[in-house]
Amino acid sequence: MDVTTPATAPWLIVGLGNPGPEYAMNRHNIGFMVADLLAERIGGRFKRAGKAQAQVVEGRTGPVGPAGRRVVLVKPMSYMNLSGGPVNALRDFYKVPTAQIVAVHDELDIDYGTLRLKLGGGDNGHNGLKSMTKAMGPDYHRVRCGIGRPPGRMQVADFVLKDFSSAERKELDWFVDRAADAVECLVTEGLERAQGSYNS
Protein backbone atom coordinates (compact mmCIF):
# COMPACT_ATOMS: atom_id res chain seq x y z
CA MET A 1 0.00 0.00 0.00
CA ASP A 2 1.38 3.42 -0.97
CA VAL A 3 1.35 5.57 2.15
CA THR A 4 1.90 9.30 1.65
CA THR A 5 4.04 10.90 4.37
CA PRO A 6 5.15 14.52 4.80
CA ALA A 7 8.44 13.48 3.23
CA THR A 8 6.75 12.17 0.07
CA ALA A 9 3.67 14.43 -0.07
CA PRO A 10 3.87 17.30 -2.53
CA TRP A 11 3.82 20.95 -1.54
CA LEU A 12 0.56 22.68 -2.47
CA ILE A 13 1.39 26.14 -3.83
CA VAL A 14 -1.84 28.17 -3.98
CA GLY A 15 -1.91 31.36 -6.01
CA LEU A 16 -4.91 33.38 -4.84
CA GLY A 17 -6.93 35.41 -7.34
CA ASN A 18 -10.18 35.66 -9.25
CA PRO A 19 -10.85 33.76 -12.49
CA GLY A 20 -11.70 35.56 -15.72
CA PRO A 21 -9.88 37.96 -18.07
CA GLU A 22 -11.48 41.03 -16.47
CA TYR A 23 -9.54 40.31 -13.24
CA ALA A 24 -6.28 39.15 -14.80
CA MET A 25 -4.19 42.28 -14.09
CA ASN A 26 -5.89 43.29 -10.82
CA ARG A 27 -3.74 43.80 -7.73
CA HIS A 28 -5.81 41.04 -6.07
CA ASN A 29 -4.54 38.58 -8.71
CA ILE A 30 -0.81 38.71 -8.06
CA GLY A 31 -1.07 35.18 -6.61
CA PHE A 32 -2.32 33.92 -9.99
CA MET A 33 0.55 35.76 -11.72
CA VAL A 34 3.14 34.05 -9.50
CA ALA A 35 1.49 30.64 -10.00
CA ASP A 36 1.54 31.16 -13.79
CA LEU A 37 5.27 31.96 -13.72
CA LEU A 38 6.02 28.93 -11.53
CA ALA A 39 4.07 26.73 -13.98
CA GLU A 40 6.15 28.16 -16.83
CA ARG A 41 9.35 27.39 -14.93
CA ILE A 42 8.44 23.72 -14.41
CA GLY A 43 7.18 23.38 -17.96
CA GLY A 44 3.55 22.67 -17.07
CA ARG A 45 0.14 23.94 -18.14
CA PHE A 46 -2.79 24.46 -15.81
CA LYS A 47 -5.66 22.04 -16.25
CA ARG A 48 -8.95 21.38 -14.46
CA ALA A 49 -8.46 19.37 -11.25
CA GLY A 50 -11.13 16.66 -11.42
CA LYS A 51 -14.08 17.62 -9.24
CA ALA A 52 -12.21 20.34 -7.36
CA GLN A 53 -13.08 23.86 -8.49
CA ALA A 54 -9.48 24.65 -9.33
CA GLN A 55 -6.78 24.42 -11.97
CA VAL A 56 -3.56 22.57 -11.15
CA VAL A 57 -0.09 21.82 -12.50
CA GLU A 58 2.01 19.00 -11.05
CA GLY A 59 5.79 18.95 -11.28
CA ARG A 60 9.06 19.38 -9.44
CA THR A 61 10.95 22.46 -8.36
CA GLY A 62 14.54 22.89 -7.23
CA PRO A 63 17.41 20.59 -8.28
CA VAL A 64 16.84 18.37 -11.29
CA GLY A 65 16.17 14.72 -10.44
CA PRO A 66 15.07 13.10 -7.19
CA ALA A 67 16.38 16.02 -5.10
CA GLY A 68 13.70 18.28 -6.59
CA ARG A 69 10.59 18.77 -4.48
CA ARG A 70 7.19 17.63 -5.73
CA VAL A 71 4.80 20.55 -6.06
CA VAL A 72 1.19 20.99 -7.07
CA LEU A 73 0.48 24.53 -8.25
CA VAL A 74 -3.12 25.57 -7.64
CA LYS A 75 -5.34 28.37 -8.91
CA PRO A 76 -8.78 28.18 -7.23
CA MET A 77 -11.53 28.93 -9.76
CA SER A 78 -14.16 29.64 -7.10
CA TYR A 79 -13.51 33.40 -6.71
CA MET A 80 -11.40 34.74 -3.89
CA ASN A 81 -13.83 34.53 -0.98
CA LEU A 82 -14.49 30.79 -1.58
CA SER A 83 -10.87 29.69 -2.10
CA GLY A 84 -10.80 27.45 0.97
CA GLY A 85 -13.13 24.76 -0.42
CA PRO A 86 -11.07 23.86 -3.51
CA VAL A 87 -7.78 24.08 -1.59
CA ASN A 88 -9.08 21.82 1.17
CA ALA A 89 -10.34 19.28 -1.38
CA LEU A 90 -6.90 19.19 -3.03
CA ARG A 91 -5.17 18.95 0.37
CA ASP A 92 -7.22 15.84 1.10
CA PHE A 93 -6.73 14.38 -2.39
CA TYR A 94 -2.93 14.76 -2.33
CA LYS A 95 -2.68 14.03 1.44
CA VAL A 96 -0.71 17.22 2.06
CA PRO A 97 0.06 18.34 5.65
CA THR A 98 -1.20 21.88 6.25
CA ALA A 99 2.38 23.05 6.89
CA GLN A 100 3.20 22.09 3.27
CA ILE A 101 0.62 24.49 1.86
CA VAL A 102 1.74 27.92 0.65
CA ALA A 103 -0.70 30.75 -0.09
CA VAL A 104 0.69 33.44 -2.41
CA HIS A 105 -1.39 36.59 -2.05
CA ASP A 106 -1.59 40.38 -2.19
CA GLU A 107 -0.98 42.24 1.08
CA LEU A 108 -2.25 45.77 1.75
CA ASP A 109 -0.10 46.49 4.80
CA ILE A 110 3.20 46.05 2.97
CA ASP A 111 4.65 48.54 0.47
CA TYR A 112 4.41 47.66 -3.19
CA GLY A 113 7.27 45.44 -4.34
CA THR A 114 8.04 44.13 -0.84
CA LEU A 115 7.78 40.45 0.14
CA ARG A 116 7.23 38.87 3.53
CA LEU A 117 7.10 35.13 4.25
CA LYS A 118 5.61 33.55 7.34
CA LEU A 119 3.93 30.46 8.75
CA GLY A 120 0.44 30.85 10.24
CA GLY A 121 -1.13 34.03 11.54
CA GLY A 122 -4.31 36.00 10.92
CA ASP A 123 -6.00 36.84 7.64
CA ASN A 124 -5.73 40.65 7.96
CA GLY A 125 -9.10 41.02 6.25
CA HIS A 126 -8.00 39.11 3.14
CA ASN A 127 -11.00 37.10 1.95
CA GLY A 128 -8.93 34.37 0.31
CA LEU A 129 -6.96 33.73 3.50
CA LYS A 130 -10.14 33.98 5.56
CA SER A 131 -11.72 31.22 3.48
CA MET A 132 -8.61 29.01 3.61
CA THR A 133 -8.28 29.41 7.38
CA LYS A 134 -11.95 28.60 7.89
CA ALA A 135 -11.53 25.42 5.84
CA MET A 136 -8.34 24.08 7.39
CA GLY A 137 -6.98 26.29 10.17
CA PRO A 138 -4.25 28.97 10.00
CA ASP A 139 -1.09 26.83 10.04
CA TYR A 140 -0.07 27.18 6.39
CA HIS A 141 2.73 29.27 4.88
CA ARG A 142 2.10 32.64 3.29
CA VAL A 143 4.12 34.52 0.70
CA ARG A 144 2.77 38.05 1.15
CA CYS A 145 3.20 40.30 -1.88
CA GLY A 146 2.94 43.95 -0.88
CA ILE A 147 0.58 46.15 -2.89
CA GLY A 148 0.43 49.11 -0.46
CA ARG A 149 -2.65 50.97 0.80
CA PRO A 150 -5.29 52.65 -1.38
CA PRO A 151 -4.67 56.34 -2.08
CA GLY A 152 -6.87 59.03 -0.55
CA ARG A 153 -10.34 57.82 0.30
CA MET A 154 -10.48 54.96 -2.18
CA GLN A 155 -12.19 51.88 -0.72
CA VAL A 156 -10.02 48.80 -0.21
CA ALA A 157 -12.37 46.65 -2.33
CA ASP A 158 -12.06 49.08 -5.23
CA PHE A 159 -8.27 49.30 -4.88
CA VAL A 160 -7.56 45.55 -4.92
CA LEU A 161 -9.89 45.01 -7.89
CA LYS A 162 -8.15 47.68 -9.99
CA ASP A 163 -5.28 46.87 -12.35
CA PHE A 164 -1.76 47.77 -11.30
CA SER A 165 -0.93 51.36 -12.23
CA SER A 166 1.37 52.12 -15.16
CA ALA A 167 4.16 53.00 -12.70
CA GLU A 168 3.66 49.72 -10.82
CA ARG A 169 3.61 47.71 -14.05
CA LYS A 170 7.18 48.82 -14.78
CA GLU A 171 8.33 46.73 -11.80
CA LEU A 172 5.64 44.04 -11.89
CA ASP A 173 7.60 41.42 -13.85
CA TRP A 174 10.54 41.82 -11.48
CA PHE A 175 8.22 41.57 -8.44
CA VAL A 176 6.43 38.44 -9.70
CA ASP A 177 9.78 36.86 -10.58
CA ARG A 178 11.14 37.56 -7.09
CA ALA A 179 7.99 36.17 -5.46
CA ALA A 180 8.34 32.98 -7.52
CA ASP A 181 11.99 32.73 -6.41
CA ALA A 182 10.84 33.10 -2.79
CA VAL A 183 8.31 30.27 -3.16
CA GLU A 184 10.96 27.98 -4.64
CA CYS A 185 13.40 28.84 -1.85
CA LEU A 186 10.73 28.19 0.81
CA VAL A 187 9.91 24.76 -0.62
CA THR A 188 13.49 23.62 -1.22
CA GLU A 189 15.44 25.31 1.59
CA GLY A 190 12.89 26.06 4.33
CA LEU A 191 11.18 29.10 5.80
CA GLU A 192 14.14 30.52 7.73
CA ARG A 193 16.42 30.58 4.69
CA ALA A 194 13.66 32.05 2.51
CA GLN A 195 12.87 34.75 5.07
CA GLY A 196 16.55 35.66 5.31
CA SER A 197 16.83 35.97 1.55
CA TYR A 198 13.51 37.57 0.61
CA ASN A 199 11.89 39.36 3.59
CA SER A 200 12.46 43.09 3.33
Side-chain angles (χ1 to χ4, degrees):
M1 182 176 155
D2 181 25
V3 178
T4 302
T5 66
T8 60
W11 281 72
L12 218 56
I13 313 299
V14 182
L16 290 175
N18 287 308
E22 68 271 34
Y23 299 107
M25 291 304 295
N26 285 182
R27 294 182 177 93
H28 223 17
N29 269 43
I30 195 165
F32 273 19
M33 297 173 198
V34 175
D36 285 337
L37 179 57
L38 287 166
E40 194 179 304
R41 288 182 180 184
I42 65 175
R45 295 176 69 100
F46 278 99
K47 60 180 187 290
R48 189 67 186 257
K51 293 180 181 176
Q53 206 175 355
Q55 292 182 353
V56 299
V57 175
E58 297 183 42
R60 287 186 176 272
T61 190
V64 175
R69 296 304 305 261
R70 273 182 74 206
V71 294
V72 179
L73 307 175
V74 181
K75 293 197 296 186
M77 293 285 114
S78 55
Y79 291 96
M80 186 69 85
N81 59 352
L82 298 173
S83 301
V87 176
N88 203 34
L90 291 167
R91 176 185 74 146
D92 291 347
F93 178 78
Y94 289 103
K95 299 179 173 60
V96 176
T98 306
Q100 281 179 214
I101 296 173
V102 183
V104 185
H105 64 92
D106 56 303
E107 177 63 64
L108 287 160
D109 285 340
I110 301 174
D111 290 341
Y112 177 70
T114 300
L115 292 173
R116 299 269 169 77
L117 288 79
K118 69 174 186 175
L119 174 62
D123 57 57
N124 204 23
H126 191 288
N127 287 332
L129 297 182
K130 196 176 293 183
S131 180
M132 284 182 61
T133 297
K134 185 177 179 183
M136 59 194 182
D139 299 326
Y140 52 91
H141 287 86
R142 297 101 189 280
V143 174
R144 306 158 72 206
C145 304
I147 60 168
R149 301 294 302 184
R153 296 185 178 182
M154 185 186 292
Q155 294 297 309
V156 165
D158 294 333
F159 179 69
V160 299
L161 292 175
K162 281 195 183 305
D163 288 358
F164 286 100
S165 69
S166 54
E168 289 168 336
R169 282 199 295 272
K170 290 176 183 173
E171 292 186 10
L172 186 58
D173 286 348
W174 170 84
F175 189 23
V176 169
D177 193 64
R178 184 169 166 79
D181 289 347
V183 171
E184 290 178 342
C185 184
L186 169 61
V187 169
T188 57
E189 300 185 52
L191 178 61
E192 196 171 323
R193 175 66 67 87
Q195 287 175 325
S197 298
Y198 294 97
N199 276 14
S200 52

